[in-house]
């Protein structure tokens, strides 16, 4: 094959390239743009110009679309989009597309207020609950955005996608977390004991593995995340630690040592207290069906910070997280560095392999 023939072959097989940026607010909602040229929303971003790198394109698009100067440094996903997956007229068909998704970070109110939209193209922006992305975006764009968001939470590095789906699904992908709306629990956190006049309606636990990660349960039918725990029952005799032990056994087939009381959450709309504890996990057995719900939860270990990213707890989450770390230190458990979320297998022998 001559150089000319080889060049023509490469040109004929060329791919379209694009870059986008995933930005969240402090509640974990995703920034999407309403644009004037299509009826579905997009992440900030666009096409990579000739001779331009994808990261440079992402930074340029941030200036053009949001009026923000920033350099993207962390990739979240690379997506191969097949020509067949794009609903376009034949005259606009192409051989395929490679889309790069970068991490734009978490923006506070001040940074969001600095956004300046252009006169054309971007009509408005909003921060959307992750579960709303399939309603706001095209199916392929929503798959890509959710896969990138899960990769950011998981922290294992960039993921490779095909038509928005990961080639090597993580525990978060397999459970399809964030596909349903997170319960909005912006309840104030109080570090002291619950007032005697408040009925305790819930006892949950931050159960720490020897490596500093915590046990999180994922509902099999919704992908919703929760901490182990539940509602006091008459058989608990008013002992809320007994409530927690019973619920942890039923939901997660697990046990824990002497707990540390963290505090309680107050619900402005319901006069009750939701108490929180921290304790060291002491054992994990084979997963079973929760008699109260009929579900077999997916059990994962995540850092406390990763766990909070799976909830919509609002500003009070910061105070509760600080209380967890103070208790962790008192329990003599190390702080977990960010690492991929791990699904717990059934064999109890795995437990002995944890560091710490």
């Amino acid at each position: 094959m001559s150089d000319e023939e080889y060049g023509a072959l490469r040109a004929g097989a060329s791919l379209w390239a694009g870059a986008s940026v995933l930005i969240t607010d402090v509640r974990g909602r995703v920034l999407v743009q309403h644009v004037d040229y299509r009826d579905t929303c997009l992440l900030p971003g666009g096409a990579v110009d000739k001779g331009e790198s994808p990261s440079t394109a992402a930074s340029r698009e941030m200036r053009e679309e949001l009026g923000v100067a920033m350099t993207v440094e962390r990739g979240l996903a690379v997506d191969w989009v097949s020509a067949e997956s794009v609903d376009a007229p034949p005259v606009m068909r192409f051989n395929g597309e490679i889309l790069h998704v970068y991490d734009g970070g978490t923006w506070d109110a001040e940074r969001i207020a600095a956004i300046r939209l252009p006169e054309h193209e971007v009509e408005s922006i909003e921060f959307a609950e992750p579960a709303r992305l399939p309603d706001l975006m095209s199916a392929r764009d929503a798959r890509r955005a959710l896969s990138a968001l899960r990769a950011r939470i998981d922290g294992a590095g960039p993921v490779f996608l095909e038509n928005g789906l990961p080639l090597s699904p993580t525990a978060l992908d397999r459970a399809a977390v964030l596909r349903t709306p997170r319960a909005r629990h912006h309840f104030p956190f109080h570090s002291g004991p619950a007032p005697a006049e408040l009925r305790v309606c819930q006892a949950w636990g931050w159960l720490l593995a020897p490596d500093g990660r915590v046990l999180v349960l994922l509902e099999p039918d919704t992908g919703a995340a929760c901490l182990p725990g539940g509602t006091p029952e008459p058989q608990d005799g008013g002992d809320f630690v007994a409530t927690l032990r019973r619920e942890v056994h039923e939901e997660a087939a697990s046990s824990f040592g002497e707990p540390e009381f963290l505090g309680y959450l107050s619900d402005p709309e319901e006069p009750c207290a939701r108490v929180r504890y921290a304790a060291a996990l002491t054992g994990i057995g084979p997963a079973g069906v929760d008699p109260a719900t009929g579900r077999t939860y997916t059990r994962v270990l995540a850092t406390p910070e990763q766990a909070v990213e799976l909830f919509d707890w609002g500003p009070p989450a910061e105070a509760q997280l600080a209380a967890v770390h103070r208790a962790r230190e008192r329990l003599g458990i190390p702080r977990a560095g960010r690492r991929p979320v791990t699904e717990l297998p059934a064999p109890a022998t795995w437990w002995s392999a944890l560091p710490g």
Side-chain angles (χ1 to χ4, degrees), residues 3-355:
D3 291 346
E4 290 78 9
E5 291 171 330
Y6 182 72
L9 177 64
R10 289 291 299 268
S14 61
L15 304 174
W16 184 269
S20 59
V21 182
L22 182 85
I23 298 165
T24 56
D25 65 5
V26 294
R27 288 179 51 191
R29 298 177 300 178
V30 178
L31 188 154
V32 295
Q33 299 180 154
H34 296 264
V35 296
D36 58 14
Y37 54 89
R38 59 189 296 178
D39 57 5
T40 55
C41 294
L42 297 168
L43 296 180
V48 176
D49 289 343
K50 184 176 181 180
E52 188 178 42
S53 73
S55 62
T56 301
S59 296
R60 173 179 53 76
E61 292 285 351
M62 293 291 287
R63 292 193 302 273
E64 295 174 356
E65 296 182 343
L66 299 180
V68 174
M70 64 176 291
T71 300
V72 295
E73 298 177 339
R74 180 187 176 200
L76 295 176
V78 179
D79 190 15
W80 154 253
V81 181
S82 66
E84 292 76 19
S85 71
V86 178
D87 184 19
V91 69
M92 293 179 63
R93 283 299 176 96
F94 50 85
N95 294 321
E97 186 173 6
I98 296 291
L99 292 176
H100 302 255
V101 185
Y102 292 94
D103 187 1
T106 298
W107 289 18
D108 58 18
E110 182 179 358
R111 199 169 186 187
I112 294 169
I115 292 174
R116 297 292 180 267
L117 300 182
E119 294 183 2
H120 305 289
E121 188 175 343
V122 181
E123 296 179 328
S124 63
I125 63 165
E126 70 171 294
F127 282 88
E129 174 69 19
R132 288 187 58 222
L133 296 182
D135 298 326
L136 295 171
M137 310 176 81
S138 71
R140 62 181 180 275
D141 289 344
R143 287 195 301 268
R144 182 184 314 113
L146 284 170
S147 293
L149 180 57
R150 293 181 188 125
R152 187 171 89 168
I153 295 171
D154 191 61
V159 293
F160 292 94
L161 313 175
E162 289 189 357
N163 293 320
L165 297 175
L167 295 178
S168 300
T170 66
L172 299 181
D173 294 315
R174 291 190 295 271
V177 299
L178 304 176
R179 73 178 186 269
T180 52
R182 301 168 298 165
R184 188 178 185 274
H185 289 160
H186 292 201
F187 303 140
F189 177 76
H190 312 272
S191 58
E197 66 271 16
L198 279 185
R199 173 180 62 89
V200 173
C201 60
Q202 187 186 70
W204 277 4
W206 292 83
L207 306 183
L208 292 142
D211 63 359
R213 291 185 290 173
V214 295
L215 178 63
V216 179
L217 305 181
L218 305 177
E219 295 184 356
D221 47 346
T222 67
C226 62
L227 294 176
T231 305
E233 299 291 348
Q235 64 264 36
D236 302 329
D239 182 346
F240 306 120
V241 173
T243 296
L244 184 58
R245 290 194 188 279
R246 174 180 53 78
E247 291 284 355
V248 168
H249 174 72
E250 293 175 353
E251 295 176 340
S254 301
S255 59
F256 58 88
E258 189 65 25
E260 293 260 351
F261 181 74
L262 299 180
Y264 71 97
L265 304 175
S266 58
D267 186 343
E269 298 182 0
E270 183 181 359
C272 73
R274 303 164 188 265
V275 295
R276 297 291 183 264
Y277 295 90
L281 273 168
T282 55
I284 297 175
V289 176
D290 178 10
T293 64
R295 297 184 176 109
T296 300
Y297 292 96
T298 298
R299 304 169 301 173
V300 299
L301 289 181
T303 68
E305 289 72 20
Q306 286 170 317
V308 167
E309 291 184 73
L310 300 176
F311 309 133
D312 183 8
W313 287 356
E318 185 176 347
Q320 189 175 167
L321 190 60
V324 171
H325 282 299
R326 289 193 294 269
R328 174 189 55 75
E329 291 176 354
R330 290 192 297 269
L331 292 166
I333 297 173
R335 184 176 189 131
R338 196 171 187 92
R339 66 193 71 181
V341 174
T342 303
E343 183 174 354
L344 293 177
T349 54
W350 176 85
W351 180 253
S352 62
L354 275 179

